[in-house]
Amino acid sequence: MKLDLSPTSWGRVIVVTAAGTAFFIAVAFFVDSFNFPYLSPEAVWRAQVTDLMLPLVLGGSFLSFLMWKIRQLAIAQRDLSIVAATDSLTAVLNRGAFSMLVEAYLEQTRRQEHANSGALLIIDADHFKLINDRLGHDCGDQALKLIAQAIKGQLRGGDIVGRIGGEEFGVFLPGVDPAQSWVVAESIRRRIREMDFSPGGRPCPLSVSIGGTSFTGPTTFEEIFVAADRRLYTAKSNGRDQVSFDPAGASPVPLPSIATVH
């Protein structure tokens, strides 16, 4: 079992406290050892007890308190980083954190010799203004939460999802080919279409339009975002509640009751 020595762990507190206290004891014995030849056996024994207990009590207490405070600070810093990167309503990444993580991945792939693939999806809730106007903004917030949960439920552990606009979400799929990314996009669209959203007993069907683009080799976040956004516009203008993907050949063998890929 590997010992956790991260800044937020108790393992670091214990290890540093124990190692530091042992160092203090060793220093005390070393300094006092020059006096041992001139002391009686009883005085040597008292000096050794003092050299052991004083660093143990004072040094151990000081180090344990110091490391505990450092751990609290590290936890607070981690929590603040999470809060700063998270959309408070939907609990996914905010736009800044999403774009930063995607660009960091793409920057890493540009430095590698072998080609890397992936895809970016932009997901936009259809007729969302009507939901707010008809049911109120609280119900609109509930709808966004449900959409975010549905998106996360269709993704793998390494995929990245963020809220990039009022009712827009971005999904980055590293290491997938066009056919795989199209299947993910369609599964997200279907899952949201099938959700039961009836605030106050009033049925309100939800749907999303999805624009997507795939890449192989070096690219930038701006390039793939523009391409996916263009496809989102196509999905919207062609009737909404569908997936529009670039390249057009990304669609796999058609499944029953799916939207046409443009």
Side-chain angles (χ1 to χ4, degrees):
M1 182 178 178
K2 187 177 180 180
L3 182 63
D4 183 9
L5 296 179
S6 64
T8 59
S9 70
W10 279 108
R12 174 176 286 201
V13 175
I14 295 171
V15 168
V16 173
T17 300
T21 302
F23 174 77
F24 292 155
I25 293 173
V27 170
F29 269 90
F30 174 76
V31 173
D32 219 12
S33 65
F34 295 100
N35 297 321
F36 290 166
Y38 308 104
L39 301 176
S40 65
E42 183 178 351
V44 169
W45 180 82
R46 287 198 300 268
Q48 289 175 338
V49 171
T50 301
D51 293 341
L52 174 64
M53 296 306 298
L54 195 61
L56 187 63
V57 174
L58 296 181
S61 300
F62 170 75
L63 282 175
S64 61
F65 177 77
L66 177 63
M67 293 306 300
W68 175 62
K69 284 295 185 181
I70 291 175
R71 176 178 177 269
Q72 284 186 318
L73 182 62
I75 292 174
Q77 186 177 16
R78 179 198 63 190
D79 292 344
L80 284 174
S81 299
I82 294 174
V83 170
T86 303
D87 175 62
S88 59
L89 177 64
T90 59
V92 299
L93 295 175
N94 58 34
R95 184 185 180 102
F98 176 79
S99 60
M100 182 182 66
L101 284 178
V102 174
E103 184 57 47
Y105 175 87
L106 296 175
E107 174 66 24
Q108 185 180 23
T109 63
R110 288 194 292 268
R111 297 176 182 175
Q112 297 174 352
E113 295 182 359
H114 62 281
N116 285 275
S117 61
L120 176 68
L121 310 177
I122 300 180
I123 304 166
D124 187 87
D126 295 330
H127 305 296
F128 193 74
K129 185 177 184 303
L130 294 178
I131 296 176
N132 282 332
D133 293 343
R134 175 187 165 199
L135 302 176
H137 289 277
D138 287 342
C139 291
D141 289 346
Q142 294 177 29
L144 288 177
K145 291 178 182 179
L146 285 175
I147 291 172
Q149 292 171 6
I151 293 171
K152 290 190 291 185
Q154 306 302 313
L155 303 182
R156 308 165 301 171
D159 299 333
I160 304 172
V161 58
R163 185 182 178 193
I164 58 177
E167 62 271 9
E168 277 191 353
F169 296 86
V171 172
F172 183 69
L173 307 170
V176 299
D177 60 33
Q180 292 171 323
S181 53
W182 187 91
V183 169
V184 172
E186 179 60 20
S187 68
I188 291 173
R189 187 199 67 81
R190 283 187 171 195
R191 178 70 186 90
I192 294 171
R193 195 71 180 87
E194 295 167 356
M195 285 193 309
D196 179 22
F197 180 56
S198 303
R202 293 172 293 180
C204 181
L206 298 177
S207 68
V208 293
S209 300
I210 302 177
T213 187
S214 60
F215 68 90
T216 301
T219 188
T220 65
F221 176 73
E222 182 179 1
E223 289 175 352
I224 59 175
F225 184 87
V226 169
D229 193 52
R230 184 170 56 246
R231 284 295 172 177
L232 175 63
Y233 178 81
T234 300
K236 289 285 190 181
S237 60
N238 285 342
R240 295 180 169 84
D241 191 20
Q242 61 183 267
V243 176
S244 180
F245 207 92
D246 185 20
S251 173
V253 177
L255 301 174
S257 303
I258 60 175
T260 304
V261 180
H262 300 276

